[in-house]
Amino acid sequence: MLFISVVGADTSEAGSHIKSDTPALQSNSGGYRHLSGCEKCGDGKDIDIIVTYTDVSGDIRIANIKSKDLSPSWVWEDPNNKNHDWINDSQGREKPFHVTDGSEESNRTFTDEHSEGAVQYKRDTQVSPVKIQRRKMRQKRREERTAELIRQNPQTENQMQEAAIERAKQFNNTVRGKYSIWRREYSNRHSDSILKLMRDQIIMAKAYGSIARSKNENYLYNSLKKHIRESQRAIGEANSDVELQPGAFERVKEMGNALSMAKDKLYDCALVARKLRAMLQTTEESITALKKQSAFLIQLAAKTLPKSIHCLSLQLTTDYLLQDRGSREVLDADKIEDPALHHYAIFSDNVLATSVVVNSTTQHAQEPEKHVFHIVTDRLNVAAMKMWFLVNAPADVTIEVKNIDDFKWLNSSYCSVLRQLESARIKEYYFKANHPSTLSAGDENLKYRNPKYLSMLNHLRFYLPEVYPKLDKILFLDDDIVVQKDLTPLWSIDLQGMVNGAVETCKESFHRFDKYLNFSNPLISQNFDPNACGWAFGMNMFDLKEWKKRNMTGVYHRWQDMNEERTLWKLGSLPPGLITFYNLTYPLERSWHVLGLGYDPALNQTEIENAAVIHYNGNYKPWLDLAITKYKVYWSKFVMSDNPYLQHCNINEWTLQP
């Protein structure tokens, strides 16, 4: 028997037959051959080796190892003999010897318990032939694998990827998903379980009640009807279990008993299924009708000005006429036509909205004396608009107010839109005199029946060179925007030969040309790219010199004439704008113009606050009760709440409420 003491030894080469409580010594099972070259192991005898060692925790362990369980990479080695033979001294005592395995980690030196001197354990710097052979074999395998990967073509790689994807699809994760904490219904687990149960019970009670009535089971029908009323009262306006009326759980029990009786007496799988399908169809029809009604009411609210704004316009008009303000108007003609200044065009019939645009722009302008506002309105509001800016004009800025009816050149013989608006077909389309209801099945695209599409103020933007013939550049602003930064740098942007500078609105597949134009019409499909990026009116820098050179108004007229039957696009100013300025629009940085405050409650707050211009495009205008509450503050802070006219019409009460 041979005793070997190993301090901190790596015994991973020991066989699985080793009787030890140490897992390290029991790994890497044997299958190894007997050691060769051992004179002590004469005649192929097996010897027992007792090993003492220190494990990683510092505890001393003892294990029994059979020499036959060691791999052939272990050799007996005498440190004093280069040939690694056994050497006995004159007294027959064994010299210290090495037990060496061929691994990369260990060459160890041992002495048995009969040898003189201390027990030895050390790393041997010599490399055995077996170890070299193993290294060569590993290197050969690496080279073969590398060559195989190099020879592998892309098609094989794609096939491997597809196979992996298919295996992933076949993986069943239903059980794991069922308990996923990320699912919405588990964010507040069981918060409405009773409420859902009660609603489900009501549905089944209605189904069984209808069946009971058809079979003259009046007692059961009345019982279910009674329980339905009681459950509905218990639910009330509740959205979770905590909001249920007291005694709701008792209602659940009572309804459960009633449904159990109904099921025992009336249950017929096919009949119940038909009844539930009929209820589903009725519910879907009801939802469709409610959606139509909601769309109609939203459009009605969006195009109806509040009474307070009507009051403001009437009060201003009255004072303008009574005070004869028209005879005292003084305008600086040089500034109005000076192309070196910064000119703005605002076309609106809303006095309050226009005042917010002017106030917000002026307050952020570093040199307000260089800014000129050109406002065009209709004849009903021109006096009110003039009166407002006569008494409330911001300091240093120049403001010009014009009546669109004063543009005598803007008539039906020149303007395609005016000619179309006078046609009987358009009148029929808008006013629907022969239709009993605007909610009829054939009525669609309600938003295009908004009066703004009938107003020439909405199309005057296509005649800017005619309205301002002496200007080179002009910034067009809608009346539902708020300016949050100085806009002066816009005049120094090089449009690179383009006519229109605007912020593009396409995100992924949204707001591209195919959203606005009818690409089933060859006139559209042959001339435009359906994936071309859309842009927005609301803040547009127009190069009027380039406009006149390219005759953009003529292009607009030509396409309007071809759309007389509304087969190319629906009514509005954006679709003809996209067509007219196709490939002639220079994209501005997105931070210049952030849209969506009139319809999207989920906009990024940081983008809104960092934007130069924010736009309330959509139905939820900031001066309406429909406005999105959290966006209203950006607009209302530029309303002059202490103004006597606003106070007289109680505007400050409703427009500044958060």
Side-chain angles (χ1 to χ4, degrees):
M1 183 176 290
L2 184 65
F3 297 91
I4 300 176
S5 177
V6 183
V7 181
D10 179 5
T11 57
S12 61
E13 285 289 342
S16 62
H17 298 89
I18 297 173
K19 297 179 181 179
S20 169
D21 57 354
T22 304
L25 288 175
Q26 295 175 352
S27 62
N28 298 334
S29 61
Y32 302 127
R33 295 168 297 179
H34 296 291
L35 275 80
S36 58
C38 173
E39 295 180 359
K40 286 280 188 178
C41 308
D43 301 328
K45 294 181 179 179
D46 190 15
I47 61 174
D48 295 327
I49 302 174
I50 299 177
V51 179
T52 62
Y53 64 95
T54 304
D55 63 12
V56 293
S57 63
D59 296 332
I60 297 176
R61 302 285 185 185
I62 299 176
N64 295 327
I65 305 176
K66 294 289 186 179
S67 60
K68 67 178 182 179
D69 293 328
L70 297 178
S71 71
S73 61
W74 288 78
V75 295
W76 299 103
E77 177 182 321
D78 187 339
N80 296 324
N81 187 344
K82 297 297 182 180
N83 296 323
H84 309 298
D85 292 331
W86 281 83
I87 302 175
N88 295 327
D89 63 5
S90 60
Q91 299 179 9
R93 290 178 303 181
E94 298 172 356
K95 297 290 183 181
F97 58 85
H98 292 87
V99 180
T100 306
D101 83 355
S103 69
E104 297 179 4
E105 296 294 333
S106 57
N107 282 324
R108 302 178 178 86
T109 302
F110 300 91
T111 64
D112 71 10
E113 64 177 355
H114 304 292
S115 63
E116 294 181 352
V119 174
Q120 300 181 24
Y121 173 78
K122 70 175 184 179
R123 296 281 183 182
D124 191 355
T125 58
Q126 298 179 0
V127 181
S128 67
V130 176
K131 185 174 182 179
I132 294 174
Q133 183 63 25
R134 291 173 63 185
R135 286 180 178 176
K136 289 181 179 180
M137 293 177 65
R138 282 196 296 270
Q139 182 63 26
K140 183 178 180 181
R141 287 196 298 269
R142 291 193 189 103
E143 292 175 354
E144 290 176 351
R145 180 57 180 161
T146 302
E148 180 182 352
L149 292 174
I150 293 174
R151 289 194 303 270
Q152 184 172 297
N153 55 35
Q155 183 178 0
T156 306
E157 184 177 355
N158 292 336
Q159 291 175 351
M160 292 174 62
Q161 292 178 357
E162 292 174 359
I165 292 172
E166 290 300 322
R167 286 195 299 271
K169 289 180 179 178
Q170 295 171 2
F171 178 69
N172 184 4
N173 63 349
T174 53
V175 175
R176 183 173 61 183
K178 181 178 180 181
Y179 304 103
S180 172
I181 63 173
W182 302 109
R183 292 175 61 180
R184 182 176 297 176
E185 56 264 37
Y186 289 98
S187 60
N188 190 6
R189 189 170 296 180
H190 309 312
S191 63
D192 59 353
S193 58
I194 298 177
L195 178 62
K196 288 181 177 178
L197 176 59
M198 294 183 72
R199 288 173 174 166
D200 290 343
Q201 285 181 333
I202 291 173
I203 293 172
M204 292 306 300
K206 288 180 178 180
Y208 279 121
S210 178
I211 296 173
R213 189 174 185 181
S214 65
K215 294 188 175 183
N216 295 322
E217 297 287 347
N218 294 327
Y219 173 78
L220 190 55
Y221 168 74
N222 291 329
S223 174
L224 290 170
K225 190 175 180 181
K226 173 188 172 184
H227 287 300
I228 289 173
R229 286 197 300 267
E230 291 176 350
S231 294
Q232 289 175 337
R233 280 197 296 269
I235 292 174
E237 300 294 329
N239 292 313
S240 63
D241 290 352
V242 296
E243 298 175 3
L244 291 171
Q245 299 293 329
F249 193 68
E250 294 300 322
R251 302 284 81 76
V252 172
K253 291 181 179 179
E254 293 174 2
M255 176 68 90
N257 292 332
L259 288 173
S260 179
M261 293 174 56
K263 182 178 179 181
D264 292 340
K265 196 164 188 177
L266 302 173
Y267 182 72
D268 181 337
C269 183
L271 183 59
V272 172
R274 286 198 301 271
K275 180 56 64 177
L276 290 175
R277 280 197 295 269
M279 292 173 62
L280 178 61
Q281 183 177 358
T282 303
T283 304
E284 289 178 346
E285 291 174 353
S286 176
I287 291 173
T288 302
L290 289 173
K291 283 182 177 179
K292 279 190 174 185
Q293 185 178 15
S294 175
F296 173 75
L297 293 176
I298 288 175
Q299 291 298 326
L300 181 63
K303 65 186 181 183
T304 303
L305 280 177
K307 180 173 65 176
S308 299
I309 294 184
H310 280 296
C311 168
L312 175 64
S313 182
L314 289 172
Q315 190 64 41
L316 289 168
T317 301
T318 301
D319 288 354
Y320 181 83
L321 296 176
L322 290 177
Q323 298 175 20
D324 194 21
R325 289 280 186 166
S327 61
R328 287 179 281 175
E329 287 185 54
V330 178
L331 293 176
D332 189 341
D334 293 336
K335 278 192 172 184
I336 289 174
E337 297 180 347
D338 186 356
L341 300 179
H342 307 313
H343 295 266
Y344 301 84
I346 306 172
F347 305 148
S348 174
D349 57 0
N350 189 326
V351 176
L352 186 63
T354 304
S355 71
V356 169
V357 176
V358 174
N359 290 342
S360 62
T361 306
T362 304
Q363 288 184 30
H364 292 95
Q366 295 182 0
E367 298 177 301
E369 68 277 2
K370 293 184 178 181
H371 295 258
V372 181
F373 293 89
H374 303 269
I375 301 170
V376 179
T377 187
D378 56 23
R379 62 181 176 180
L380 293 177
N381 294 281
V382 64
M385 196 77 74
K386 286 184 176 182
M387 184 64 186
W388 176 268
F389 287 108
L390 282 172
V391 298
N392 300 301
D396 300 326
V397 301
T398 302
I399 300 176
E400 175 195 36
V401 179
K402 285 187 175 183
N403 181 0
I404 191 172
D405 291 339
D406 292 338
F407 303 143
K408 302 303 180 183
W409 49 267
L410 195 62
N411 50 57
S412 58
S413 62
Y414 175 66
C415 177
S416 302
V417 173
L418 273 177
R419 184 167 60 253
Q420 293 171 10
L421 291 176
E422 293 176 358
S423 69
R425 287 188 299 272
I426 293 294
K427 291 179 181 178
E428 172 68 12
Y429 179 76
Y430 273 101
F431 301 108
K432 307 295 285 186
N434 298 325
H435 291 257
S437 171
T438 54
L439 290 177
S440 60
D443 191 12
E444 56 187 12
N445 298 318
L446 286 171
K447 70 176 183 177
Y448 295 112
R449 286 168 175 78
N450 192 310
K452 73 176 184 178
Y453 295 114
L454 285 170
S455 173
M456 269 308 299
L457 288 174
N458 195 45
H459 292 268
L460 191 61
R461 64 195 69 186
F462 294 103
Y463 300 93
L464 287 171
E466 286 89 339
V467 180
Y468 309 109
K470 295 186 178 181
L471 301 182
D472 295 335
K473 275 189 174 183
I474 195 165
L475 183 65
F476 172 79
L477 298 176
D478 269 342
D479 63 358
D480 55 353
I481 63 102
V482 173
V483 177
Q484 300 186 128
K485 293 182 180 180
D486 184 17
L487 300 182
T488 303
L490 284 171
W491 274 266
S492 60
I493 293 178
D494 181 11
L495 298 183
Q496 300 179 7
M498 304 295 181
V499 178
N500 174 30
V503 170
E504 293 182 333
T505 57
C506 57
K507 296 178 181 179
E508 297 179 355
S509 61
F510 303 107
H511 296 289
R512 298 188 181 273
F513 270 43
D514 58 354
K515 175 180 174 63
Y516 305 98
L517 305 177
N518 178 19
F519 275 86
S520 63
N521 191 302
L523 286 174
I524 296 296
S525 60
Q526 293 173 7
N527 289 281
F528 304 100
D529 179 6
N531 293 317
C533 190
W535 46 267
F537 274 125
M539 190 211 73
N540 305 79
M541 176 59 71
F542 289 109
D543 185 337
L544 300 184
K545 292 175 67 176
E546 197 68 29
W547 182 312
K548 288 181 279 190
K549 183 191 301 183
R550 295 177 179 271
N551 188 24
M552 303 311 301
T553 304
V555 174
Y556 165 72
H557 282 163
R558 183 167 63 88
W559 282 100
Q560 278 287 0
D561 290 338
M562 288 190 289
N563 192 45
E564 186 169 0
E565 300 294 333
R566 302 186 309 280
T567 58
L568 305 183
W569 68 85
K570 299 294 184 181
L571 295 177
S573 57
L574 182 55
L578 297 175
I579 287 177
T580 302
F581 301 108
Y582 182 61
N583 289 332
L584 291 173
T585 298
Y586 179 81
L588 301 176
E589 291 290 336
R590 289 188 180 273
S591 59
W592 279 112
H593 187 190
V594 170
L595 299 102
L597 280 77
Y599 69 89
D600 187 356
L603 293 176
N604 186 292
Q605 201 76 11
T606 303
E607 288 185 2
I608 293 175
E609 294 173 356
N610 293 335
V613 172
I614 55 176
H615 194 171
Y616 292 83
N617 58 311
N619 288 324
Y620 306 140
K621 302 299 184 186
W623 55 83
L624 299 176
D625 292 335
L626 294 173
I628 299 173
T629 305
K630 64 180 179 179
Y631 299 152
K632 200 167 186 178
V633 63
Y634 299 110
W635 185 84
S636 60
K637 65 183 177 182
F638 295 106
V639 176
M640 302 168 63
S641 58
D642 57 346
N643 186 276
Y645 286 105
L646 302 187
Q647 292 179 349
H648 175 75
C649 293
N650 297 321
I651 290 179
N652 58 322
E653 293 183 5
W654 59 266
T655 196
L656 300 180
Q657 292 296 326

